[in-house]
């Protein structure tokens, strides 16, 4: 097979293999034809399977430890409230478009998580959903912004008012956002000279989180015949149409990737991780709380607290270590034994009905090649990601079925999707064992370029 | 002979010949220590682990028995290596002392810590042109001190002088501690009075640095035929510029003198081990021995170390011995000098600071990892040279001279056959590895050096925070 002339990557944040490959494939003609002609399979995400850092891992071939980005929020120091959200300048490793730019290839990069503020490339870049608002400088070069706004209006980087139970406006806005992104993509690929194009659509992730309970008959909140039963499916059909029109503009000689950073699955409920810490004697409060209170508002007696946890789709556990945290209590010599003890207890946790939860717990030092920045002491998938982690206390127990941060019915799953169609090929072959890092390695390989040896991925063999 | 070259000759001749002054100082220091030991009250030492880090200037792995050297110059270090863990393949991050030590103490590469260029001063302490180790970096001693350790450093000045920032984090830093034997006596005396809490002691000794002492019996031990040459900065520069060639006999003589210096260092090791035992801290003390760089004897037409980017200079020893370090462990995976800091902290159950570049080698010690760590070495000499090696291949980029060299270290460990022209694919792989590393260093430099507001500037705005909260990513 000759080297690729052009490569296009369409990223669908959170698109799960169960929906794209199995349940809905036949109703998605464009994706179905890519699968029928291409190489495809489940794509194993990183630990944790979260948008930030997963896309940066995919495009750099580095794991979260090597990036020093362990999730949306990272500790900037060892204080108790020192969690910050890192933007693109925290990504220190080169990503595919940096390598391609250096070798003289023209790139278009749109909305890939981890690209706000946008960086200098040989081509153009539109910042990701972490762009604060449409007034911000979200394009490289800066002149691109007025050009886009004159044609497509203010940039819709993300869905607004997501917390609402009023679902109709959310749905409308997801469509509006997706339509704008594809319109911008069509404009850029037809008005610019390019070798590499990549876009990431966040609508898929947002619609899963907002509408999962309406379609998944196994979700405990599912009501048969509800008005949004078809919402996600209809959106996928719409998206398939958008991808189809874009592919027509890309031409037959373009190598096409459709990928996602992680999957989605139903959420059973939440584990109030700090209530559990308290019940196990790891966390002590100066004043108990009787109504839902976030961790930052609680009176924690740090001098009697060994560990605490953060909420989110997965949990991060932090140990209160002497000489490290301001009021640390764990002797550094006992750090490993305390960590092992908490890990074992979490793994043995039961659900509200006394059945094993199947929680998985990871030590960053064991799952990453190196550990930069300040990693959490433990990473926890409650019920293997079927339960979320709730950091707030005062929810009336360890198990909760109401989300403390607003409606949300889906959690992230460890596998995303991978579809690759080399031009002119009729492969139609399913691949096993694909890892998220393989995407960047395959892009470089298809261009006939050398994959830097420090990237973790392996190119999908040219057939 | 010009006046200045005469002065150089006299200076180096004195430095070599006045060994007996050093010997007197050593005896005095040792006596002082022993006297205080006799009168010291008995104290129980702390339960935590201690660290005794010894870096020997110019100590290359190549010249040690435990690394396969044919001459018996290091019987005691060889024994220590059998009692603990030996890393077979450790690459320093710089070919001369100041940046190399800065990399050991900060776990960062020279192009980030920038404690390099000494101007044209050569081996002289060029105060005006000296880049000192910036206090924006957290040092190994600071980490230990923050963790409640007593910290003390002993050296004989030079580039390890506190002037260059190396005293940071040390409660006590001695810039005029003499040769290794007196450094040890002073250090042990300090331990004697501070062993009630855990300690981190650092020694950087210069005994193996040129012009190689004329001290008997070390000046005869590895010499067959004496030659009338003294390695000083002028001779070095003449040879490295190709203005002068050494005869095989002269080269062999210099090598023998250098081996004698290593032997002198090695002879002090039993004293250290015995005294740690006598102070009751031996079973809790991790002894770490390394070098800042090695020494070249014309293998690649270069003498001494500063300008040399080949492995006779870049490969340094790393021997760790003490509690929880399994005896007789030999690790063939490649490691770097920047890994020493996180490893020592990890062995003591201490956390490494964020944003360092090295990794803890404990997983390698436990046998959990076997991969090679990619090592980069930089020197600004000869217009700038950089080498990257992945355990198999090594790429050298000579920026000043515009040359590229590639070696297969498995089939050609001595770097004799440049394969950059015949193996374009391997070349481009290593060039990509170097480009990737340079990209990271550029970002890291920005993080560390572009003003103090960096920590705030790469955080997202409150609007984004709220949006993420609404999405359920954050509470």
């Amino acid at each position: 097979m000759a080297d690729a002339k052009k490569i296009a990557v369409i990223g669908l944040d959170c698109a799960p293999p169960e929906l794209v490959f199995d349940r809905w494939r036949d109703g998605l003609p464009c994706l179905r034809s890519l699968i029928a002609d291409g190489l495809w399979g489940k794509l194993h995400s990183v630990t944790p399977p979260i948008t930030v850092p997963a896309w940066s891992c995919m495009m750099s071939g580095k794991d979260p430890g090597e990036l020093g980005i362990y999730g949306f929020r990272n500790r900037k120091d060892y204080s108790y409230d020192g969690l910050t959200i890192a933007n693109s300048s925290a990504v220190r490793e080169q990503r595919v478009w940096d390598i391609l730019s250096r070798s003289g290839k023209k790139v278009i990069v749109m909305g890939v998580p981890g690209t706000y503020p946008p960086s200098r490339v040989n081509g153009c870049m539109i910042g990701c959903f972490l762009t604060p608002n449409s007034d911000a400088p979200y394009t490289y070069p800066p002149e691109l912004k007025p050009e886009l706004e004159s044609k497509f209006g203010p940039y819709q980087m993300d869905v607004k008012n997501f917390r609402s139970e009023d679902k109709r406006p959310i749905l409308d806005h997801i469509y509006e956002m997706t339509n704008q992104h594809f319109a911008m993509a069509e404009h850029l690929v037809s008005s610019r000279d390019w070798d590499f194009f990549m876009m990431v659509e966040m609508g898929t992730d947002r619609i899963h989180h907002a509408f999962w309970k309406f379609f998944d008959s196994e979700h405990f909140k599912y009501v048969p015949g509800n008005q949004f039963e078809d919402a996600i499916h209809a959106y996928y059909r719409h998206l398939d149409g958008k991808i189809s029109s874009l592919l027509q503009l890309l031409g037959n000689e373009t190598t096409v990737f459709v990928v996602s950073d992680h999957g989605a699955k139903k959420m059973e409920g939440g584990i109030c991780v700090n209530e559990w810490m308290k019940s196990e004697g790891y966390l002590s409060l100066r004043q108990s709380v009787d109504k839902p209170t976030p961790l930052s508002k609680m009176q924690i007696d740090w001098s009697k607290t060994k560990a605490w946890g953060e909420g989110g789709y997965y949990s991060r556990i932090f140990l209160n270590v002497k000489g490290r945290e301001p009021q640390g209590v764990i002797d550094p010599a006992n750090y490993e034994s305390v960590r092992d003890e908490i890990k074992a207890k979490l793994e043995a946790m039961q659900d509200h009905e006394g059945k094993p939860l199947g929680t998985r717990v990871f030590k960053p030092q064991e799952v990453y090649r190196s550990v930069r920045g300040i990693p959490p002491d433990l990473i926890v998938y409650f019920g293997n990601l079927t339960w979320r982690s709730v950091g707030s206390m005062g929810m009336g127990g360890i198990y909760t079925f109401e989300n403390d941060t607003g409606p949300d019915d889906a959690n992230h799953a460890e596998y995303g999707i991978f579809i690759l169609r080399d031009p002119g090929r009729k492969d139609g072959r399913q691949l096993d064992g694909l890892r998220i890092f393989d995407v960047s390695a395959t892009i470089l390989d298809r261009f006939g370029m050398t994959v830097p040896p420090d990237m973790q991925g392996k190119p999908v063999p040219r057939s | 002979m010009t006046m200045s070259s005469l002065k150089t000759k006299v200076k180096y001749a004195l430095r070599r010949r006045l060994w007996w002054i050093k010997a007197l100082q050593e005896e005095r220091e040792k006596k002082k220590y022993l006297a205080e030991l006799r009168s010291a009250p008995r104290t129980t030492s702390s339960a935590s682990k201690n660290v005794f880090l010894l870096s020997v200037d110019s100590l290359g792995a190549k010249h040690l028995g435990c690394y396969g050297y044919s001459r018996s110059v290091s019987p005691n270090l060889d024994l220590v290596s059998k009692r603990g863990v030996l890393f077979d393949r450790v690459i320093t991050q710089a070919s001369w002392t100041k940046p190399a030590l800065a990399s050991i103490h900060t776990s960062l590469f020279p192009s980030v810590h920038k404690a390099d260029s000494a101007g044209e001063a050569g081996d002289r302490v060029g105060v005006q042109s000296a880049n000192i180790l910036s206090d924006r970096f957290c040092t190994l001693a600071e980490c230990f001190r923050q963790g409640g350790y007593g910290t003390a450093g002993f050296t004989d000045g030079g580039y390890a002088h506190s002037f260059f920032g190396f005293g940071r984090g040390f409660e006590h830093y001695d810039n005029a501690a003499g040769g290794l034997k007196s450094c040890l006596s002073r250090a042990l005396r300090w331990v004697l009075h501070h062993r009630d809490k855990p300690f981190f002691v650092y020694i950087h000794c210069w005994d193996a640095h040129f012009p190689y002492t004329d001290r008997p019996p070390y000046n005869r031990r590895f010499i067959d035929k004496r030659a009338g040459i003294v390695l000083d900065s002028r001779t070095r520069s003449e040879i490295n510029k190709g203005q002068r060639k050494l005869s095989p006999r002269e080269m062999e003589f210099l090598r023998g003198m250098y081996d004698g210096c290593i032997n002198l260092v090695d002879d002090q090791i039993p004293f250290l081990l015995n005294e740690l035992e006598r102070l009751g801290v031996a079973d809790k003390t991790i002894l770490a021995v390394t070098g800042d760089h090695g020494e070249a004897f014309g293998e690649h037409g270069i003498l001494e170390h500063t300008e040399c980017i080949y492995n006779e200079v870049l490969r340094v020893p790393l021997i760790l011995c003490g509690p929880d370090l399994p005896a007789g462990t030999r690790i063939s995976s490649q490691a770097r000098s920047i890994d020493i800091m996180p490893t020592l902290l990890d062995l003591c159950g201490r956390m490494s600071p964020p944003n360092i570049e090295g990794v803890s080698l404990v997983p390698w010690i436990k046998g959990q990892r076997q991969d090679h760590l990619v090592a980069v070495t930089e020197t600004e000499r000869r217009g700038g040279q950089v080498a990257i090696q992945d355990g198999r291949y090594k790429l050298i980029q000579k920026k000043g001279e515009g040359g590229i060299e590639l070696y297969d270290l498995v089939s050609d460990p001595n770097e004799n056959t440049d394969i950059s022209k015949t193996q374009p694919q391997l070349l481009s792989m290593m060039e990509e590895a170097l480009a990737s590393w340079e990209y990271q260093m550029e970002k890291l430099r920005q993080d560390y050096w572009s003003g103090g507001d960096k920590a705030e500037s790469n955080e997202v705005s409150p609007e984004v925070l709220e949006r993420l909260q609404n999405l359920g990513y954050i509470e």
Side-chain angles (χ1 to χ4, degrees):
Chain A
M1 193 198 293
D3 290 345
K5 293 195 174 70
K6 288 181 166 206
I7 292 178
V9 182
I10 298 166
L12 306 175
D13 197 281
C14 194
E18 296 81 6
L19 298 187
V20 177
F21 293 155
D22 305 330
R23 193 160 166 172
W24 293 337
R25 186 196 322 188
D26 290 339
L28 306 170
C30 178
L31 291 175
R32 189 185 58 200
S33 87
L34 289 175
I35 294 167
D37 294 344
L39 301 163
W40 58 282
K42 284 169 35 169
L43 187 65
H44 189 257
S45 187
V46 287
T47 307
I50 299 289
T51 304
V52 174
W55 287 104
S56 290
C57 295
M58 185 194 283
M59 301 321 286
S60 66
K62 304 288 167 68
D63 65 40
E66 291 172 296
L67 295 179
I69 303 175
Y70 299 94
F72 270 92
R73 290 193 300 172
N74 293 280
R75 289 181 95 176
K76 66 172 179 203
D77 53 38
Y78 286 110
S79 63
Y80 296 117
D81 52 1
L83 286 175
T84 62
I85 300 174
N87 66 18
S88 66
S89 56
V91 182
R92 252 197 265 136
E93 310 276 336
Q94 54 179 359
R95 285 171 284 184
V96 156
W97 47 82
D98 298 310
I99 301 172
L100 297 176
S101 291
R102 211 179 53 238
S103 75
K105 296 237 185 293
K106 287 275 201 187
V107 305
I108 299 172
V109 181
M110 277 186 62
V112 183
T115 57
Y116 179 84
S119 56
R120 209 182 141 99
V121 286
N122 183 27
C124 62
M125 181 181 277
I126 302 176
C128 67
F129 72 107
L130 293 179
T131 301
N133 54 54
S134 54
D135 294 333
Y138 59 83
T139 65
Y140 176 85
E143 320 74 273
L144 178 61
K145 184 180 162 184
E147 177 188 330
L148 293 174
E149 285 180 358
S150 69
K151 288 187 162 49
F152 311 105
Y155 180 36
Q156 302 190 38
M157 70 295 295
D158 206 343
V159 182
K160 280 176 246 158
N161 305 321
F162 191 83
R163 189 190 280 263
S164 169
E165 261 305 338
D166 189 2
K167 296 287 183 182
R168 179 56 64 185
I170 296 178
L171 194 57
D172 290 345
H173 194 209
I174 292 174
Y175 271 86
E176 218 178 286
M177 175 177 84
T178 301
N179 291 345
Q180 187 198 46
H181 293 170
F182 276 88
M184 284 178 174
E186 292 186 3
H187 168 70
L188 289 175
V189 295
S190 40
S191 64
R192 284 182 172 55
D193 195 17
W194 60 274
D195 302 294
F196 176 77
F197 164 83
M198 179 170 184
M199 70 178 290
V200 172
E201 179 51 49
M202 295 304 292
T204 28
D205 180 79
R206 304 311 187 229
I207 203 164
H208 293 154
H209 286 303
F211 293 92
W212 198 271
K213 70 178 175 206
F214 298 108
F215 101 97
D216 184 351
S217 56
E218 286 176 22
H219 197 284
F220 74 98
K221 286 182 185 166
Y222 171 75
V223 180
N226 71 76
Q227 60 165 328
F228 294 115
E229 187 143 17
D230 194 43
I232 299 181
H233 190 190
Y235 174 78
Y236 269 84
R237 292 196 299 266
H238 179 76
L239 199 59
D240 190 71
K242 289 282 161 200
I243 295 170
S244 174
S245 336
L246 180 62
L247 291 191
Q248 282 175 12
L249 284 176
L250 299 179
N252 292 334
E253 300 215 306
T254 300
T255 303
V256 177
F257 289 76
V258 180
V259 291
S260 66
D261 57 334
H262 56 78
K265 57 166 98 169
K266 69 173 167 157
M267 183 135 62
E268 305 269 5
I271 302 290
C272 298
V273 58
N274 290 313
E275 292 286 1
W276 179 85
M277 287 286 176
K278 188 164 154 260
S279 73
E280 294 289 330
Y282 292 119
L283 184 144
S284 174
L285 290 179
R286 285 186 206 285
Q287 209 173 4
S288 61
V289 284
D290 46 12
K291 62 177 194 314
T293 314
L295 195 68
S296 56
K297 303 248 164 64
M298 272 177 309
Q299 301 266 325
I300 295 171
D301 184 353
W302 291 111
S303 66
K304 291 182 185 143
T305 293
K306 281 187 171 174
W308 77 101
E310 283 288 331
Y313 292 123
Y314 68 107
S315 188
R316 280 147 303 164
I317 306 294
F318 302 111
L319 268 53
N320 195 21
V321 183
K322 209 186 287 174
R324 189 182 80 168
E325 273 73 15
Q327 299 173 62
V329 293
I330 299 171
D331 190 311
N334 300 329
Y335 172 80
E336 236 10 274
S337 60
V338 176
R339 188 156 79 141
D340 285 334
E341 177 189 298
I342 294 176
K343 181 174 188 282
K345 282 189 183 174
L346 284 167
E347 284 166 342
M349 255 181 102
Q350 297 178 331
D351 71 6
H352 56 301
E353 292 167 340
K355 290 190 295 245
L357 253 179
T359 297
R360 290 164 69 200
V361 187
F362 307 93
K363 291 182 185 176
Q365 291 76 4
E366 289 177 4
V367 290
Y368 303 131
R369 280 209 303 204
S370 67
V371 180
R372 282 195 168 126
I374 308 180
D377 295 299
L378 290 170
I379 295 167
V380 183
Y381 296 176
F382 284 118
N384 196 19
L385 293 173
T386 52
W387 293 68
R388 65 179 277 122
S389 165
V390 178
S392 298
M393 295 179 76
M395 317 280 285
I398 291 170
Y399 308 96
T400 177
F401 299 94
E402 290 307 319
N403 195 332
D404 56 330
T405 55
D408 196 337
D409 327 315
N411 207 347
H412 289 193
E414 279 182 283
Y415 285 92
I417 60 166
F418 176 90
I419 306 169
L420 160 61
R421 194 203 56 195
D422 291 303
R425 303 284 312 177
K426 298 265 181 225
D427 290 310
R429 195 148 46 83
Q430 186 173 358
L431 303 174
D432 287 327
L434 292 168
R435 296 165 77 217
I436 198 165
F437 311 113
D438 300 339
V439 177
S440 38
T442 306
I443 292 168
L444 293 173
D445 175 71
R446 286 299 190 268
F447 271 133
M449 293 170 60
T450 307
V451 182
D454 55 342
M455 286 173 69
Q456 290 200 33
K458 292 205 170 38
V460 169
R462 299 189 189 197
S463 41
Chain B
M1 191 178 284
T2 63
M3 203 49 202
S4 73
S5 78
L6 185 68
K7 262 167 81 180
T8 308
K9 290 252 177 275
V10 170
K11 190 178 87 184
Y12 280 94
L14 287 178
R15 258 169 71 174
R16 291 176 63 235
R17 300 269 166 77
L18 296 181
W19 54 265
W20 52 272
I21 298 182
K22 267 196 167 170
L24 286 176
Q25 185 194 5
E26 283 166 5
E27 276 315 303
R28 207 169 53 233
E29 291 298 336
K30 190 174 171 182
K31 275 189 186 140
K32 229 164 158 180
Y33 158 68
L34 291 173
E36 288 186 24
L37 178 66
R38 276 191 295 274
S39 59
R42 285 193 169 273
T43 35
T44 34
S45 62
S46 134
S48 304
K49 287 182 198 167
N50 312 303
V51 171
F52 204 107
L53 171 61
L54 168 61
S55 60
V56 180
D57 205 285
S58 307
L59 184 64
K62 191 180 169 183
H63 286 254
L64 294 177
C66 47
Y67 286 86
Y69 195 46
S70 54
R71 282 177 179 166
S72 176
V73 297
S74 57
N76 295 303
L77 281 172
D78 300 348
L79 220 69
V80 172
S81 80
K82 289 205 181 81
R83 284 171 44 182
V85 178
L86 177 142
F87 286 86
D88 202 26
R89 198 178 175 78
V90 179
I91 308 295
T92 182
Q93 271 55 77
S95 61
W96 63 284
T97 305
K98 183 153 54 97
L101 289 186
S103 288
I104 291 174
H105 286 281
T106 62
S107 189
L108 292 166
F109 288 98
S111 61
V112 175
H113 61 59
K114 297 187 188 177
D116 47 13
S117 178
E120 295 305 311
D123 68 327
R124 198 152 41 90
V125 177
V127 173
Q128 292 88 352
S129 60
N131 290 331
I132 68 164
L133 180 60
S134 163
D135 60 11
R136 70 191 72 218
F137 306 111
C138 179
T139 65
L140 179 56
E142 285 178 315
C143 291
F144 276 119
R145 194 171 182 179
Q146 280 159 16
Y149 274 59
T151 53
F154 303 86
T155 184
D156 205 17
Y159 284 125
H161 198 283
S162 58
F163 169 82
F164 294 109
F166 292 109
R168 203 143 43 78
F170 288 104
E171 284 162 42
H172 174 79
Y173 198 79
D174 188 341
N175 284 309
L180 178 58
K181 198 172 174 186
S182 29
C183 279
L184 287 176
S185 297
R186 288 194 181 189
L188 290 164
R189 216 169 86 217
W190 183 90
V191 170
L192 175 65
H193 299 297
H194 295 85
R195 60 191 152 150
D196 53 324
K197 66 176 186 176
F199 60 80
F200 167 59
V201 168
Y202 173 60
I203 288 179
H204 183 78
C205 73
W206 294 85
D207 305 62
H209 196 275
F210 78 89
Y212 314 135
T213 182
D214 212 13
R215 180 169 180 169
Y218 306 103
N219 63 341
R220 303 245 168 230
R221 216 165 245 180
F222 304 99
I223 306 293
D224 294 332
K225 292 182 191 134
R226 290 189 71 84
I229 178 163
V230 173
L231 180 57
D232 56 36
S233 54
R234 184 165 296 268
T235 317
R236 169 187 74 181
S237 129
E238 283 169 3
I239 290 161
N240 290 348
K241 282 182 186 150
Q243 297 161 346
R244 180 177 166 190
K245 264 207 145 25
L246 287 190
S247 69
R249 180 176 163 180
E250 285 174 316
M251 194 64 93
E252 206 34 52
F253 169 69
L254 288 179
R255 204 159 69 93
M257 290 298 281
Y258 168 69
D259 285 345
C261 292
I262 295 178
N263 191 226
L264 163 69
V265 167
D266 188 76
D267 270 356
Q268 315 311 317
I269 299 297
F271 172 56
L272 171 62
L273 297 177
N274 291 339
E275 294 311 312
L276 289 176
E277 200 75 56
R278 194 137 65 135
L279 289 168
V281 294
D283 56 335
K284 280 169 252 141
T285 302
I286 296 162
L287 171 63
V289 182
T290 190
D292 54 349
H293 52 74
E295 194 82 325
F297 292 95
E299 291 92 332
H300 293 87
I302 301 166
L303 200 57
E304 201 248 6
H305 48 269
T306 315
E307 297 180 14
C308 181
I309 197 81
Y310 299 94
N311 282 0
E312 55 269 25
V313 166
L314 306 197
R315 267 187 74 189
V316 291
L318 178 60
I319 299 166
L320 303 173
C321 167
D324 300 328
L325 290 158
T329 312
R330 219 184 154 93
I331 292 162
S332 55
S333 309
Q334 180 169 284
R336 296 93 37 108
S337 293
I338 51 170
D339 302 322
I340 295 173
M341 171 171 172
T343 304
L344 293 177
L345 289 168
D346 193 3
L347 284 169
C348 295
R350 312 285 333 153
M351 305 290 158
S352 289
N355 292 329
I356 60 168
E357 286 297 299
V359 300
S360 164
L361 299 171
V362 170
W364 280 264
I365 296 171
K366 288 184 179 165
Q368 294 159 343
R369 280 181 76 169
Q370 280 88 31
D371 52 317
H372 291 296
L373 289 162
V374 175
V376 177
T377 309
E378 304 164 82
T379 174
E380 71 282 25
R381 298 304 164 89
R382 295 194 167 192
Q385 305 176 74
V386 59
I388 182 166
Q389 46 194 318
D390 64 4
R392 169 91 199 248
Y393 299 106
K394 176 174 173 185
L395 173 78
I396 297 173
Q397 216 176 56
K398 294 181 172 169
K399 292 169 184 167
E401 297 160 8
I404 284 275
E405 291 165 29
L406 183 69
Y407 299 98
D408 180 344
L409 298 173
V410 170
S411 62
D412 176 28
N414 297 328
E415 301 163 85
N416 291 324
T417 314
D418 174 15
I419 56 169
S420 64
K421 301 283 185 297
T422 53
Q423 299 283 352
Q425 276 196 322
L426 290 175
L427 178 67
S428 91
M429 177 185 86
M430 293 308 286
E431 282 180 329
E432 280 305 322
L434 184 60
S436 170
W437 176 82
E438 279 172 345
Y439 183 92
Q440 293 166 43
M441 290 308 111
E442 179 55 38
K443 288 265 185 168
L444 201 57
R445 264 197 302 277
Q446 283 169 16
D447 277 4
Y448 273 117
W449 291 92
S450 64
D453 56 349
K454 199 62 193 170
E456 271 72 49
S457 71
N458 66 5
E459 287 170 23
V460 303
S461 68
E463 281 168 280
V464 174
L465 196 68
E466 194 191 328
R467 226 157 49 211
L468 293 172
Q469 279 169 340
N470 290 344
L471 283 163
Y473 278 100
I474 297 173
E475 284 168 33

